[in-house]
Amino acid sequence: MSTGSLLAADLVIAVLAAACWLGGGAASTARRRPLALGLAALALVATLARAITITALARAGWWFAAEKVLIAAPLSLAAVGVAGPRLLQAPRDIRAVAVPLLFAGYATSSALLVTVLHGYPASAGAGLLAVAGVVAATVITGRALGARPRRTVSRVAVVVAGAALVTGTGLTVAAGATSVVPHDHGYPVARIAAEPTRRFTLTAGTTTVNAGGRNVAAWAFNAQVPGPELTATVGDVLDVTLRNRDIERGVTLHWHGYDVPNDQDGVPGVTQAAVRPGQEFVYRFRADQAGTYWYHTHSASDVGVRMGLYGVLVVRPRPVTGVDVTVPVHTLAGRSLPAPRVERVEAGAPVRLRLINTDSTTHRYALAGTAFRVAAIDGVDLRGPTPLADTAVLIPAGGRYDLVFNAPTTPVALFVDGRAVYSTGPVSTATGTWPVLDPLDYGARAPVPWSRVDKTFTLVLDRGLDLRGLLPRYAHTVNGAADPDIPPQVVRLGDVVLFTIVNRSQVVHPWHLHGHHVLVLARDGEPAAGSPLWLDSFDVRPGEVWKVAFRADNPGMWANHCHNLAHADAGMTLHLMYS
Ligand SMILES: [Cu+2]
């Protein structure tokens, strides 16, 4: 069983246990004996079953089990210890076990709340608060049902609640962990003095575009979705003027995957101010990294990108030879882009399909009718890619795969989630059952370029209640905190930096560090066994643990966030800064 499935199973069992204890308690107060005993028996089994899931999770990694071992397990033992013996006596008046059953319900429910609302890391405050809640609820229930709680019980409740408040609930930031994200960083960055050789102007504005045969409202660059395709050849100097006509939330240009100097990175509030209606901003950088990239607004990025403020950036090593097609996949107002494209390709012609996922969730791509190789991922060529056939690839949010092949005499077609988006003629192949390529063991290995690590950071991805803002929110968290309260990661120029990224949530998090490509070292303890994978976007699925590293060679203040942009917006954003 994968760790992701274990996390889900443990959650389901925990909910079942809590619901059955509470249901059993309620049934006993109503003197419904068989129902009460049945639910209590089920609750007992579910509570004991968690010993198995919690142990397995702890073996997969302490991150997955910390609060379950430290808080849920003792509370569950208390539940079983109090309610179990009373049940075995099977009293004639079933109402006599109501308070013990409800106590067990409160204990397992509060442990569940600690996991769902607080998560990782476990804290003494969260544990004490959970215990205080259980004692208080039990005392109140006892009074309501006419049982006389002993004085000592009430005193214990007061003491525990006080301790919980004194130690903090764990929901507040530790002193000294405040985030420092200056609006003006002032890092020295070499401006490019060279004369531009490729000039573009992108004007952002609200508009209406045709998507899938229907007119929909959009935010667009130059009134088209996607925006104009920006192309350059290695050696060019790009000069892109961004104008904002009427996007009230502001716009910027972030060059996704292209490692620009920091002041060109387009993150509002970090590397520049957002460009307001009527304003403009000029980006200039050298095209020295051949590959497939894309650009998008980073201002109100969740809604901005979703509404259409994105486009393709391709840097080619030399002028195009053969067929070179970009396929930026996007969902606009529920409609899939791009529209299907059919073109004749001469047999034998070399073809490169540049697949780009500009959505916030993973897409599945399948190329039918030919063998192909994955020549590059995230703009970086793979080493020794071997031919693949009848194999699908999964591209994370923000990610890019370049597929290459020589056109056969028969038609080929590219399917995205089963929909043909590009073809050279009619193809009717079912691709839904094809196996999926694991890039971690595709291509030829090469040694890791460093023998040391200077800085290590662990990022535990989860959900939790964030009480630090004006309004409480159920945030997507990193190490128990949400943007802007996640402490920045500080590195020095030249450091080799190791990230361990752990997903203990129930959803996929496509991770994206700005300004650097990271080298994948291992996933779930298995070392990467294929071509070196230098990624800027990778899916960390529920229960997965990724180890990636990079050399800190691009000074500045960089966003480091989940590229499911709704998650980034809901707290899952932090910053990497150079000291
Ligand atoms: Cu995410």
Side-chain angles (χ1 to χ4, degrees), residues 461 476 507-511 561-568 572:
L461 314 180
H476 287 274
V507 292
V508 177
H509 295 297
W511 204 256
H561 65 96
C562 177
H563 215 278
N564 182 321
L565 296 172
H567 297 179
M572 204 169 258

Side-chain angles (χ1 to χ4, degrees), residues 20-21 23-29 31-45 83-98 101:
C20 287
W21 284 124
S28 66
T29 60
R31 293 204 167 85
R32 299 185 57 180
R33 197 166 194 275
L35 182 63
L37 289 176
L39 285 172
L42 201 55
L44 204 57
V45 172
R86 314 284 175 93
L87 279 170
L88 289 179
Q89 293 161 8
R92 283 197 117 165
D93 180 12
I94 194 68
R95 228 166 167 259
V97 293
L101 290 185

